[in-house]
Amino acid sequence: MFDGELIQLSEEVEAAVREGRAVVALESTVISHGLPRPQNLETARRLEQAVREGRAVPATVAVLGGRLRVGLDGSQLERLAEGEGVRKVSRRDLPLAVARGEDGATTVAGTLWIASRAGLRVFATGGIGGVHRGALPDVSADLPELARTPMTVVCSGAKSVLDLPATREWLETHGVGVVGYGCDEMPAFYTRRSGLPADVRADTPREVARVVRARDRLGLEAALVVTVPVPEGFEVGESVMEESLTEALSVAASRGVSGRELTPFLLAHMSWRSGGATLRANLALLENNARVAADIAVALSEQ
Ligand code: PSU
Ligand code: MN
C-alpha cells in the first residue's frame, strides 16, 4: 500500500487540489537533464508563469532529499537546475532515490506516478519518451506508465530521435488515445508533422475535456495524450533535422551511449549540430504546451 506520507504537496497545490481548481503538473528531467544552463532554470520559471497566465496552478514534480515533492519554490527549482548529483528518476528509480535520500528529477514516467497519486489530472511536457531506434528494444518507461495512469498529458508527440511508427503502434496496442490538438497528425516534436495519424482531432479545451470525462466514466486507466505541434516559425527545417539527427545517432552508437544517458545525449548533440535550432524549438513548444495544458485543466475544473 502506498504510504501517502512520502508525498509532500506545496500549500498552494494542496489547496488547489482540495478545492478542485485547475492544476498542471510539470516534469523536472527537462530542467536537470534535458536543457543546457542557464536556459533550463529560465524555462522552468517560464513554464510555471505560462500555467499561471492560463489561470491554473503549476506543480513541478521532483524528488528532494528522498521525498516526493509536488509544487516547488524558487530555491528548489534552482537546486534542480544546478543539476549536481540529481538523479534522473523514472519509475524504477523511485525506490532508489527515496531509500538514499537523494535529489531526483522526474521523467514523464516518474512524474506521472507521483502526480497521479497527488490527485493531479493534467500534465504538460515537451515530448514523451518512446521506442528508440536500433536493434535493442530500448523502450522508455514513459510508455507503460502512460498505459496505466489516467492523466491528460499535453506534449508535442514523441521526439524525432525515436522510432515514431513503433511508438505510435505501442500506444495503440496499450489503449493510450492520441488527440491531435488543432491537427490531424501526431506532431514529431521538432516538426509539426509525422505522417502518423492522431486518433481524433480536438480544436478546443472543452472538446478535450469531454473525452477525458468519458474516459473517466468508463473507468479506463490509460492516459490521454494530447499532441500539440511546435508553434509555426520554430519548426526545425527538414534538412537541418535529418543531418543533426543522423549524426547524433551515429555518434551515440560509436561512443556506446545507452540507457538513461541516451535521450539527453541525443538532444544535446542535435542542439549543437543545428546551431541551436532544435533548442529554440524545444523551448517554444514547452511553453506553448504549458499554456494549452492550463486551458484544458481549467475546462476540466469547470464541471
Ligand atoms: N523530451 C524533451 N526533453 C527531455 C525529455 C523528453 O524534450 O528531457 C525527457 C523526459 O523527461 C522523458 C525522458 O520522460 O526524456 C525519456 O527518457 P528515457 O528515454 O530514458 O525514458
Ligand atoms: Mn531507455
Side-chain angles (χ1 to χ4, degrees), residues 27-31 33-35 88 90 106-109 125-130 132 138-142 159 162 189-190 259-264 267 282 285-286:
E27 62 148 308
S28 47
T29 291
V30 66
I31 305 172
H33 307 282
L35 295 171
K88 176 175 164 183
S90 188
T106 49
T107 64
V108 169
T125 183
I128 55 170
H132 280 273
D138 175 352
V139 179
S140 174
D142 292 355
K159 286 172 299 280
L162 299 165
F189 198 69
Y190 297 130
R260 74 170 84 238
E261 311 295 338
L262 183 59
T263 296
L267 295 179
N282 201 342
L285 66 85
L286 277 164

PDB file of all heavy atoms in Angstrom, residues 27-31 33-35 88 90 106-109 125-130 132 138-142 159 162 189-190 259-264 267 282 285-286, ligand 1:
ATOM      1  N   GLU A  27       7.149  18.271 -15.428  1.00  0.00           N
ATOM      2  CA  GLU A  27       8.237  17.333 -15.086  1.00  0.00           C
ATOM      3  C   GLU A  27       9.524  18.099 -14.783  1.00  0.00           C
ATOM      4  O   GLU A  27       9.633  19.298 -15.053  1.00  0.00           O
ATOM      5  CB  GLU A  27       8.471  16.356 -16.235  1.00  0.00           C
ATOM      6  CG  GLU A  27       8.898  17.044 -17.525  1.00  0.00           C
ATOM      7  CD  GLU A  27       9.834  16.203 -18.386  1.00  0.00           C
ATOM      8  OE1 GLU A  27      10.853  15.726 -17.856  1.00  0.00           O
ATOM      9  OE2 GLU A  27       9.542  16.056 -19.586  1.00  0.00           O
ATOM     10  N   SER A  28      10.515  17.406 -14.237  1.00  0.00           N
ATOM     11  CA  SER A  28      11.761  18.098 -13.899  1.00  0.00           C
ATOM     12  C   SER A  28      13.004  17.523 -14.584  1.00  0.00           C
ATOM     13  O   SER A  28      14.052  18.147 -14.557  1.00  0.00           O
ATOM     14  CB  SER A  28      11.960  18.110 -12.385  1.00  0.00           C
ATOM     15  OG  SER A  28      11.731  16.831 -11.831  1.00  0.00           O
ATOM     16  N   THR A  29      12.885  16.370 -15.260  1.00  0.00           N
ATOM     17  CA  THR A  29      14.067  15.881 -16.005  1.00  0.00           C
ATOM     18  C   THR A  29      14.481  16.899 -17.049  1.00  0.00           C
ATOM     19  O   THR A  29      15.676  17.121 -17.275  1.00  0.00           O
ATOM     20  CB  THR A  29      13.759  14.526 -16.695  1.00  0.00           C
ATOM     21  OG1 THR A  29      13.613  13.527 -15.689  1.00  0.00           O
ATOM     22  CG2 THR A  29      14.888  14.105 -17.609  1.00  0.00           C
ATOM     23  N   VAL A  30      13.497  17.530 -17.660  1.00  0.00           N
ATOM     24  CA  VAL A  30      13.818  18.529 -18.683  1.00  0.00           C
ATOM     25  C   VAL A  30      14.667  19.660 -18.068  1.00  0.00           C
ATOM     26  O   VAL A  30      15.552  20.211 -18.718  1.00  0.00           O
ATOM     27  CB  VAL A  30      12.521  19.049 -19.361  1.00  0.00           C
ATOM     28  CG1 VAL A  30      11.646  19.822 -18.403  1.00  0.00           C
ATOM     29  CG2 VAL A  30      12.821  19.849 -20.605  1.00  0.00           C
ATOM     30  N   ILE A  31      14.464  19.967 -16.798  1.00  0.00           N
ATOM     31  CA  ILE A  31      15.244  21.028 -16.133  1.00  0.00           C
ATOM     32  C   ILE A  31      16.671  20.540 -15.846  1.00  0.00           C
ATOM     33  O   ILE A  31      17.649  21.227 -16.146  1.00  0.00           O
ATOM     34  CB  ILE A  31      14.595  21.439 -14.785  1.00  0.00           C
ATOM     35  CG1 ILE A  31      13.136  21.848 -14.975  1.00  0.00           C
ATOM     36  CG2 ILE A  31      15.396  22.556 -14.124  1.00  0.00           C
ATOM     37  CD1 ILE A  31      12.406  22.082 -13.648  1.00  0.00           C
ATOM     38  N   HIS A  33      18.248  17.559 -16.826  1.00  0.00           N
ATOM     39  CA  HIS A  33      18.978  16.746 -17.795  1.00  0.00           C
ATOM     40  C   HIS A  33      18.635  17.043 -19.255  1.00  0.00           C
ATOM     41  O   HIS A  33      19.333  16.577 -20.151  1.00  0.00           O
ATOM     42  CB  HIS A  33      18.718  15.256 -17.533  1.00  0.00           C
ATOM     43  CG  HIS A  33      18.985  14.846 -16.123  1.00  0.00           C
ATOM     44  ND1 HIS A  33      20.241  14.626 -15.629  1.00  0.00           N
ATOM     45  CD2 HIS A  33      18.149  14.653 -15.077  1.00  0.00           C
ATOM     46  CE1 HIS A  33      20.175  14.294 -14.342  1.00  0.00           C
ATOM     47  NE2 HIS A  33      18.908  14.297 -13.988  1.00  0.00           N
ATOM     48  N   GLY A  34      17.546  17.774 -19.493  1.00  0.00           N
ATOM     49  CA  GLY A  34      17.088  17.932 -20.874  1.00  0.00           C
ATOM     50  C   GLY A  34      17.514  19.228 -21.543  1.00  0.00           C
ATOM     51  O   GLY A  34      17.554  19.300 -22.759  1.00  0.00           O
ATOM     52  N   LEU A  35      17.833  20.246 -20.749  1.00  0.00           N
ATOM     53  CA  LEU A  35      18.172  21.547 -21.316  1.00  0.00           C
ATOM     54  C   LEU A  35      19.497  22.040 -20.728  1.00  0.00           C
ATOM     55  O   LEU A  35      19.823  21.739 -19.578  1.00  0.00           O
ATOM     56  CB  LEU A  35      17.084  22.588 -20.979  1.00  0.00           C
ATOM     57  CG  LEU A  35      15.684  22.365 -21.562  1.00  0.00           C
ATOM     58  CD1 LEU A  35      14.699  23.352 -20.953  1.00  0.00           C
ATOM     59  CD2 LEU A  35      15.703  22.512 -23.088  1.00  0.00           C
ATOM     60  N   LYS A  88      18.341  11.117 -12.562  1.00  0.00           N
ATOM     61  CA  LYS A  88      17.196  11.092 -13.491  1.00  0.00           C
ATOM     62  C   LYS A  88      16.266   9.991 -12.984  1.00  0.00           C
ATOM     63  O   LYS A  88      16.637   8.816 -12.973  1.00  0.00           O
ATOM     64  CB  LYS A  88      17.683  10.799 -14.920  1.00  0.00           C
ATOM     65  CG  LYS A  88      16.571  10.651 -15.949  1.00  0.00           C
ATOM     66  CD  LYS A  88      17.143  10.477 -17.361  1.00  0.00           C
ATOM     67  CE  LYS A  88      16.101   9.938 -18.334  1.00  0.00           C
ATOM     68  NZ  LYS A  88      16.653   9.699 -19.688  1.00  0.00           N
ATOM     69  N   SER A  90      13.107   7.786 -13.231  1.00  0.00           N
ATOM     70  CA  SER A  90      11.982   7.159 -13.898  1.00  0.00           C
ATOM     71  C   SER A  90      11.320   6.251 -12.856  1.00  0.00           C
ATOM     72  O   SER A  90      11.723   6.241 -11.690  1.00  0.00           O
ATOM     73  CB  SER A  90      12.494   6.379 -15.109  1.00  0.00           C
ATOM     74  OG  SER A  90      11.406   5.918 -15.881  1.00  0.00           O
ATOM     75  N   THR A 106      12.316  14.113 -12.137  1.00  0.00           N
ATOM     76  CA  THR A 106      11.428  13.066 -12.627  1.00  0.00           C
ATOM     77  C   THR A 106      11.164  13.162 -14.130  1.00  0.00           C
ATOM     78  O   THR A 106      10.884  14.227 -14.662  1.00  0.00           O
ATOM     79  CB  THR A 106      10.088  13.094 -11.869  1.00  0.00           C
ATOM     80  OG1 THR A 106       9.579  14.444 -11.858  1.00  0.00           O
ATOM     81  CG2 THR A 106      10.260  12.640 -10.440  1.00  0.00           C
ATOM     82  N   THR A 107      11.242  12.012 -14.787  1.00  0.00           N
ATOM     83  CA  THR A 107      10.889  11.887 -16.207  1.00  0.00           C
ATOM     84  C   THR A 107       9.365  11.925 -16.332  1.00  0.00           C
ATOM     85  O   THR A 107       8.646  12.018 -15.331  1.00  0.00           O
ATOM     86  CB  THR A 107      11.366  10.537 -16.766  1.00  0.00           C
ATOM     87  OG1 THR A 107      10.640   9.505 -16.075  1.00  0.00           O
ATOM     88  CG2 THR A 107      12.860  10.336 -16.571  1.00  0.00           C
ATOM     89  N   VAL A 108       8.884  11.751 -17.531  1.00  0.00           N
ATOM     90  CA  VAL A 108       7.437  11.644 -17.733  1.00  0.00           C
ATOM     91  C   VAL A 108       6.885  10.487 -16.900  1.00  0.00           C
ATOM     92  O   VAL A 108       5.883  10.638 -16.191  1.00  0.00           O
ATOM     93  CB  VAL A 108       7.110  11.465 -19.237  1.00  0.00           C
ATOM     94  CG1 VAL A 108       5.648  11.083 -19.437  1.00  0.00           C
ATOM     95  CG2 VAL A 108       7.441  12.747 -20.007  1.00  0.00           C
ATOM     96  N   ALA A 109       7.575   9.345 -16.922  1.00  0.00           N
ATOM     97  CA  ALA A 109       7.093   8.187 -16.141  1.00  0.00           C
ATOM     98  C   ALA A 109       7.085   8.500 -14.646  1.00  0.00           C
ATOM     99  O   ALA A 109       6.094   8.257 -13.950  1.00  0.00           O
ATOM    100  CB  ALA A 109       7.974   6.967 -16.423  1.00  0.00           C
ATOM    101  N   THR A 125       4.326  18.561 -20.863  1.00  0.00           N
ATOM    102  CA  THR A 125       5.743  18.275 -21.080  1.00  0.00           C
ATOM    103  C   THR A 125       6.091  18.606 -22.527  1.00  0.00           C
ATOM    104  O   THR A 125       5.248  19.083 -23.285  1.00  0.00           O
ATOM    105  CB  THR A 125       6.054  16.792 -20.735  1.00  0.00           C
ATOM    106  OG1 THR A 125       7.459  16.568 -20.887  1.00  0.00           O
ATOM    107  CG2 THR A 125       5.286  15.833 -21.619  1.00  0.00           C
ATOM    108  N   GLY A 126       7.379  18.364 -22.890  1.00  0.00           N
ATOM    109  CA  GLY A 126       7.804  18.643 -24.260  1.00  0.00           C
ATOM    110  C   GLY A 126       7.469  17.470 -25.152  1.00  0.00           C
ATOM    111  O   GLY A 126       6.583  17.526 -26.004  1.00  0.00           O
ATOM    112  N   GLY A 127       8.185  16.382 -24.934  1.00  0.00           N
ATOM    113  CA  GLY A 127       7.938  15.176 -25.729  1.00  0.00           C
ATOM    114  C   GLY A 127       7.994  13.969 -24.825  1.00  0.00           C
ATOM    115  O   GLY A 127       8.819  13.913 -23.909  1.00  0.00           O
ATOM    116  N   ILE A 128       7.125  13.014 -25.059  1.00  0.00           N
ATOM    117  CA  ILE A 128       7.168  11.782 -24.266  1.00  0.00           C
ATOM    118  C   ILE A 128       8.311  10.901 -24.785  1.00  0.00           C
ATOM    119  O   ILE A 128       8.752  11.042 -25.928  1.00  0.00           O
ATOM    120  CB  ILE A 128       5.832  11.012 -24.342  1.00  0.00           C
ATOM    121  CG1 ILE A 128       5.455  10.726 -25.798  1.00  0.00           C
ATOM    122  CG2 ILE A 128       4.736  11.792 -23.633  1.00  0.00           C
ATOM    123  CD1 ILE A 128       4.278   9.767 -25.952  1.00  0.00           C
ATOM    124  N   GLY A 129       8.782  10.006 -23.943  1.00  0.00           N
ATOM    125  CA  GLY A 129       9.726   9.001 -24.391  1.00  0.00           C
ATOM    126  C   GLY A 129       8.977   7.969 -25.228  1.00  0.00           C
ATOM    127  O   GLY A 129       7.743   7.986 -25.302  1.00  0.00           O
ATOM    128  N   GLY A 130       9.705   7.068 -25.862  1.00  0.00           N
ATOM    129  CA  GLY A 130       9.036   6.076 -26.691  1.00  0.00           C
ATOM    130  C   GLY A 130       9.973   4.938 -27.026  1.00  0.00           C
ATOM    131  O   GLY A 130      10.920   4.666 -26.279  1.00  0.00           O
ATOM    132  N   HIS A 132      12.966   3.505 -28.859  1.00  0.00           N
ATOM    133  CA  HIS A 132      14.155   4.034 -29.528  1.00  0.00           C
ATOM    134  C   HIS A 132      14.430   3.269 -30.817  1.00  0.00           C
ATOM    135  O   HIS A 132      13.971   2.148 -31.009  1.00  0.00           O
ATOM    136  CB  HIS A 132      15.376   3.959 -28.596  1.00  0.00           C
ATOM    137  CG  HIS A 132      15.412   5.079 -27.602  1.00  0.00           C
ATOM    138  ND1 HIS A 132      15.990   6.298 -27.868  1.00  0.00           N
ATOM    139  CD2 HIS A 132      14.911   5.165 -26.350  1.00  0.00           C
ATOM    140  CE1 HIS A 132      15.859   7.085 -26.811  1.00  0.00           C
ATOM    141  NE2 HIS A 132      15.191   6.430 -25.869  1.00  0.00           N
ATOM    142  N   ASP A 138      14.969  -0.715 -26.835  1.00  0.00           N
ATOM    143  CA  ASP A 138      15.034   0.242 -25.736  1.00  0.00           C
ATOM    144  C   ASP A 138      13.721   1.009 -25.750  1.00  0.00           C
ATOM    145  O   ASP A 138      13.494   1.867 -26.595  1.00  0.00           O
ATOM    146  CB  ASP A 138      16.231   1.184 -25.943  1.00  0.00           C
ATOM    147  CG  ASP A 138      16.304   2.300 -24.900  1.00  0.00           C
ATOM    148  OD1 ASP A 138      15.353   2.455 -24.104  1.00  0.00           O
ATOM    149  OD2 ASP A 138      17.312   3.016 -24.886  1.00  0.00           O
ATOM    150  N   VAL A 139      12.838   0.640 -24.837  1.00  0.00           N
ATOM    151  CA  VAL A 139      11.517   1.266 -24.767  1.00  0.00           C
ATOM    152  C   VAL A 139      11.444   2.102 -23.500  1.00  0.00           C
ATOM    153  O   VAL A 139      11.660   1.590 -22.400  1.00  0.00           O
ATOM    154  CB  VAL A 139      10.401   0.189 -24.753  1.00  0.00           C
ATOM    155  CG1 VAL A 139       9.036   0.841 -24.648  1.00  0.00           C
ATOM    156  CG2 VAL A 139      10.489  -0.675 -25.997  1.00  0.00           C
ATOM    157  N   SER A 140      11.159   3.372 -23.639  1.00  0.00           N
ATOM    158  CA  SER A 140      11.072   4.242 -22.462  1.00  0.00           C
ATOM    159  C   SER A 140      10.001   3.760 -21.494  1.00  0.00           C
ATOM    160  O   SER A 140       8.916   3.348 -21.910  1.00  0.00           O
ATOM    161  CB  SER A 140      10.743   5.664 -22.904  1.00  0.00           C
ATOM    162  OG  SER A 140      10.516   6.481 -21.761  1.00  0.00           O
ATOM    163  N   ALA A 141      10.312   3.861 -20.209  1.00  0.00           N
ATOM    164  CA  ALA A 141       9.319   3.533 -19.175  1.00  0.00           C
ATOM    165  C   ALA A 141       8.149   4.511 -19.210  1.00  0.00           C
ATOM    166  O   ALA A 141       7.116   4.268 -18.575  1.00  0.00           O
ATOM    167  CB  ALA A 141       9.979   3.542 -17.798  1.00  0.00           C
ATOM    168  N   ASP A 142       8.294   5.589 -19.976  1.00  0.00           N
ATOM    169  CA  ASP A 142       7.162   6.514 -20.136  1.00  0.00           C
ATOM    170  C   ASP A 142       5.946   5.793 -20.720  1.00  0.00           C
ATOM    171  O   ASP A 142       4.800   6.091 -20.364  1.00  0.00           O
ATOM    172  CB  ASP A 142       7.514   7.675 -21.083  1.00  0.00           C
ATOM    173  CG  ASP A 142       8.548   8.628 -20.505  1.00  0.00           C
ATOM    174  OD1 ASP A 142       8.945   8.459 -19.336  1.00  0.00           O
ATOM    175  OD2 ASP A 142       8.953   9.547 -21.245  1.00  0.00           O
ATOM    176  N   LYS A 159       9.760  12.426 -29.469  1.00  0.00           N
ATOM    177  CA  LYS A 159      10.885  13.065 -30.159  1.00  0.00           C
ATOM    178  C   LYS A 159      11.260  12.327 -31.431  1.00  0.00           C
ATOM    179  O   LYS A 159      11.235  11.104 -31.486  1.00  0.00           O
ATOM    180  CB  LYS A 159      12.097  13.117 -29.235  1.00  0.00           C
ATOM    181  CG  LYS A 159      11.964  14.159 -28.160  1.00  0.00           C
ATOM    182  CD  LYS A 159      13.078  14.067 -27.156  1.00  0.00           C
ATOM    183  CE  LYS A 159      13.095  12.750 -26.443  1.00  0.00           C
ATOM    184  NZ  LYS A 159      12.140  12.610 -25.365  1.00  0.00           N
ATOM    185  N   LEU A 162      13.310   9.147 -31.904  1.00  0.00           N
ATOM    186  CA  LEU A 162      12.761   7.819 -31.628  1.00  0.00           C
ATOM    187  C   LEU A 162      12.258   7.158 -32.899  1.00  0.00           C
ATOM    188  O   LEU A 162      12.205   7.771 -33.964  1.00  0.00           O
ATOM    189  CB  LEU A 162      11.612   7.959 -30.634  1.00  0.00           C
ATOM    190  CG  LEU A 162      12.015   8.562 -29.292  1.00  0.00           C
ATOM    191  CD1 LEU A 162      10.793   9.011 -28.512  1.00  0.00           C
ATOM    192  CD2 LEU A 162      12.839   7.573 -28.492  1.00  0.00           C
ATOM    193  N   PHE A 189       7.555  16.421 -32.530  1.00  0.00           N
ATOM    194  CA  PHE A 189       8.383  17.213 -31.625  1.00  0.00           C
ATOM    195  C   PHE A 189       8.995  18.437 -32.324  1.00  0.00           C
ATOM    196  O   PHE A 189       8.398  19.508 -32.260  1.00  0.00           O
ATOM    197  CB  PHE A 189       9.464  16.331 -30.989  1.00  0.00           C
ATOM    198  CG  PHE A 189      10.075  16.939 -29.764  1.00  0.00           C
ATOM    199  CD1 PHE A 189       9.349  17.080 -28.586  1.00  0.00           C
ATOM    200  CD2 PHE A 189      11.388  17.368 -29.769  1.00  0.00           C
ATOM    201  CE1 PHE A 189       9.924  17.640 -27.445  1.00  0.00           C
ATOM    202  CE2 PHE A 189      11.971  17.926 -28.632  1.00  0.00           C
ATOM    203  CZ  PHE A 189      11.236  18.061 -27.480  1.00  0.00           C
ATOM    204  N   TYR A 190      10.130  18.286 -32.979  1.00  0.00           N
ATOM    205  CA  TYR A 190      10.777  19.433 -33.638  1.00  0.00           C
ATOM    206  C   TYR A 190      10.047  19.845 -34.915  1.00  0.00           C
ATOM    207  O   TYR A 190      10.268  20.929 -35.426  1.00  0.00           O
ATOM    208  CB  TYR A 190      12.216  19.093 -34.009  1.00  0.00           C
ATOM    209  CG  TYR A 190      13.113  18.795 -32.831  1.00  0.00           C
ATOM    210  CD1 TYR A 190      13.903  17.648 -32.812  1.00  0.00           C
ATOM    211  CD2 TYR A 190      13.200  19.668 -31.757  1.00  0.00           C
ATOM    212  CE1 TYR A 190      14.750  17.373 -31.747  1.00  0.00           C
ATOM    213  CE2 TYR A 190      14.043  19.398 -30.688  1.00  0.00           C
ATOM    214  CZ  TYR A 190      14.809  18.249 -30.689  1.00  0.00           C
ATOM    215  OH  TYR A 190      15.651  17.979 -29.636  1.00  0.00           O
ATOM    216  N   GLY A 259      20.962   3.528 -22.324  1.00  0.00           N
ATOM    217  CA  GLY A 259      20.229   3.653 -21.062  1.00  0.00           C
ATOM    218  C   GLY A 259      19.759   5.073 -20.819  1.00  0.00           C
ATOM    219  O   GLY A 259      19.369   5.776 -21.747  1.00  0.00           O
ATOM    220  N   ARG A 260      19.839   5.497 -19.562  1.00  0.00           N
ATOM    221  CA  ARG A 260      19.300   6.805 -19.194  1.00  0.00           C
ATOM    222  C   ARG A 260      20.044   7.960 -19.858  1.00  0.00           C
ATOM    223  O   ARG A 260      19.537   9.065 -19.941  1.00  0.00           O
ATOM    224  CB  ARG A 260      19.334   6.973 -17.673  1.00  0.00           C
ATOM    225  CG  ARG A 260      20.728   7.225 -17.125  1.00  0.00           C
ATOM    226  CD  ARG A 260      20.703   7.620 -15.671  1.00  0.00           C
ATOM    227  NE  ARG A 260      20.646   6.435 -14.825  1.00  0.00           N
ATOM    228  CZ  ARG A 260      19.673   6.205 -13.948  1.00  0.00           C
ATOM    229  NH1 ARG A 260      18.702   7.051 -13.811  1.00  0.00           N
ATOM    230  NH2 ARG A 260      19.709   5.115 -13.220  1.00  0.00           N
ATOM    231  N   GLU A 261      21.272   7.698 -20.316  1.00  0.00           N
ATOM    232  CA  GLU A 261      22.081   8.768 -20.914  1.00  0.00           C
ATOM    233  C   GLU A 261      21.663   9.083 -22.346  1.00  0.00           C
ATOM    234  O   GLU A 261      21.981  10.150 -22.868  1.00  0.00           O
ATOM    235  CB  GLU A 261      23.570   8.363 -20.968  1.00  0.00           C
ATOM    236  CG  GLU A 261      24.151   7.825 -19.674  1.00  0.00           C
ATOM    237  CD  GLU A 261      24.172   8.885 -18.590  1.00  0.00           C
ATOM    238  OE1 GLU A 261      24.149  10.075 -18.949  1.00  0.00           O
ATOM    239  OE2 GLU A 261      24.169   8.521 -17.400  1.00  0.00           O
ATOM    240  N   LEU A 262      20.977   8.135 -22.991  1.00  0.00           N
ATOM    241  CA  LEU A 262      20.778   8.266 -24.439  1.00  0.00           C
ATOM    242  C   LEU A 262      19.944   9.492 -24.823  1.00  0.00           C
ATOM    243  O   LEU A 262      20.371  10.300 -25.659  1.00  0.00           O
ATOM    244  CB  LEU A 262      20.145   6.988 -25.006  1.00  0.00           C
ATOM    245  CG  LEU A 262      19.945   6.976 -26.525  1.00  0.00           C
ATOM    246  CD1 LEU A 262      21.273   7.167 -27.257  1.00  0.00           C
ATOM    247  CD2 LEU A 262      19.286   5.683 -26.981  1.00  0.00           C
ATOM    248  N   THR A 263      18.773   9.654 -24.216  1.00  0.00           N
ATOM    249  CA  THR A 263      17.904  10.773 -24.613  1.00  0.00           C
ATOM    250  C   THR A 263      18.595  12.124 -24.404  1.00  0.00           C
ATOM    251  O   THR A 263      18.656  12.939 -25.339  1.00  0.00           O
ATOM    252  CB  THR A 263      16.552  10.688 -23.871  1.00  0.00           C
ATOM    253  OG1 THR A 263      15.878   9.487 -24.293  1.00  0.00           O
ATOM    254  CG2 THR A 263      15.662  11.874 -24.199  1.00  0.00           C
ATOM    255  N   PRO A 264      19.171  12.407 -23.208  1.00  0.00           N
ATOM    256  CA  PRO A 264      19.858  13.692 -23.027  1.00  0.00           C
ATOM    257  C   PRO A 264      21.009  13.882 -24.017  1.00  0.00           C
ATOM    258  O   PRO A 264      21.221  14.990 -24.524  1.00  0.00           O
ATOM    259  CB  PRO A 264      20.397  13.634 -21.591  1.00  0.00           C
ATOM    260  CG  PRO A 264      19.569  12.616 -20.896  1.00  0.00           C
ATOM    261  CD  PRO A 264      19.142  11.633 -21.942  1.00  0.00           C
ATOM    262  N   LEU A 267      19.608  14.828 -27.543  1.00  0.00           N
ATOM    263  CA  LEU A 267      19.055  16.190 -27.560  1.00  0.00           C
ATOM    264  C   LEU A 267      20.176  17.223 -27.582  1.00  0.00           C
ATOM    265  O   LEU A 267      20.140  18.196 -28.344  1.00  0.00           O
ATOM    266  CB  LEU A 267      18.165  16.421 -26.328  1.00  0.00           C
ATOM    267  CG  LEU A 267      16.889  15.575 -26.228  1.00  0.00           C
ATOM    268  CD1 LEU A 267      16.134  15.898 -24.952  1.00  0.00           C
ATOM    269  CD2 LEU A 267      15.994  15.780 -27.440  1.00  0.00           C
ATOM    270  N   ASN A 282      12.472  23.416 -28.966  1.00  0.00           N
ATOM    271  CA  ASN A 282      12.139  22.761 -27.691  1.00  0.00           C
ATOM    272  C   ASN A 282      11.556  23.769 -26.700  1.00  0.00           C
ATOM    273  O   ASN A 282      10.523  23.518 -26.067  1.00  0.00           O
ATOM    274  CB  ASN A 282      13.426  22.124 -27.134  1.00  0.00           C
ATOM    275  CG  ASN A 282      13.154  21.023 -26.127  1.00  0.00           C
ATOM    276  OD1 ASN A 282      12.062  20.922 -25.584  1.00  0.00           O
ATOM    277  ND2 ASN A 282      14.146  20.214 -25.854  1.00  0.00           N
ATOM    278  N   LEU A 285       7.985  25.001 -27.832  1.00  0.00           N
ATOM    279  CA  LEU A 285       6.893  24.028 -27.682  1.00  0.00           C
ATOM    280  C   LEU A 285       6.595  23.744 -26.210  1.00  0.00           C
ATOM    281  O   LEU A 285       5.439  23.533 -25.829  1.00  0.00           O
ATOM    282  CB  LEU A 285       7.170  22.758 -28.496  1.00  0.00           C
ATOM    283  CG  LEU A 285       8.334  21.836 -28.119  1.00  0.00           C
ATOM    284  CD1 LEU A 285       7.960  20.845 -27.047  1.00  0.00           C
ATOM    285  CD2 LEU A 285       8.831  21.102 -29.353  1.00  0.00           C
ATOM    286  N   LEU A 286       7.622  23.760 -25.378  1.00  0.00           N
ATOM    287  CA  LEU A 286       7.379  23.543 -23.945  1.00  0.00           C
ATOM    288  C   LEU A 286       6.427  24.613 -23.401  1.00  0.00           C
ATOM    289  O   LEU A 286       5.462  24.311 -22.690  1.00  0.00           O
ATOM    290  CB  LEU A 286       8.705  23.601 -23.170  1.00  0.00           C
ATOM    291  CG  LEU A 286       9.540  22.315 -23.153  1.00  0.00           C
ATOM    292  CD1 LEU A 286      10.973  22.620 -22.714  1.00  0.00           C
ATOM    293  CD2 LEU A 286       8.914  21.277 -22.232  1.00  0.00           C
TER     294      LEU A 286
HETATM  295  N1  PSU B   1      11.694  15.408 -24.065  1.00  0.00           N
HETATM  296  C1  PSU B   1      12.463  16.529 -24.050  1.00  0.00           C
HETATM  297  N2  PSU B   1      13.402  16.670 -23.131  1.00  0.00           N
HETATM  298  C2  PSU B   1      13.593  15.724 -22.174  1.00  0.00           C
HETATM  299  C3  PSU B   1      12.779  14.561 -22.172  1.00  0.00           C
HETATM  300  C4  PSU B   1      11.853  14.446 -23.136  1.00  0.00           C
HETATM  301  O1  PSU B   1      12.303  17.387 -24.886  1.00  0.00           O
HETATM  302  O2  PSU B   1      14.451  15.926 -21.326  1.00  0.00           O
HETATM  303  C5  PSU B   1      12.917  13.555 -21.067  1.00  0.00           C
HETATM  304  C6  PSU B   1      11.537  13.322 -20.444  1.00  0.00           C
HETATM  305  O3  PSU B   1      11.666  13.514 -19.051  1.00  0.00           O
HETATM  306  C7  PSU B   1      11.233  11.898 -20.792  1.00  0.00           C
HETATM  307  C8  PSU B   1      12.608  11.294 -20.824  1.00  0.00           C
HETATM  308  O4  PSU B   1      10.385  11.311 -19.848  1.00  0.00           O
HETATM  309  O5  PSU B   1      13.370  12.289 -21.500  1.00  0.00           O
HETATM  310  C9  PSU B   1      12.659   9.955 -21.512  1.00  0.00           C
HETATM  311  O6  PSU B   1      13.881   9.350 -21.221  1.00  0.00           O
HETATM  312  P1  PSU B   1      14.085   7.788 -21.493  1.00  0.00           P
HETATM  313  O7  PSU B   1      14.062   7.646 -22.990  1.00  0.00           O
HETATM  314  O8  PSU B   1      15.439   7.469 -20.885  1.00  0.00           O
HETATM  315  O9  PSU B   1      12.965   7.074 -20.813  1.00  0.00           O
END
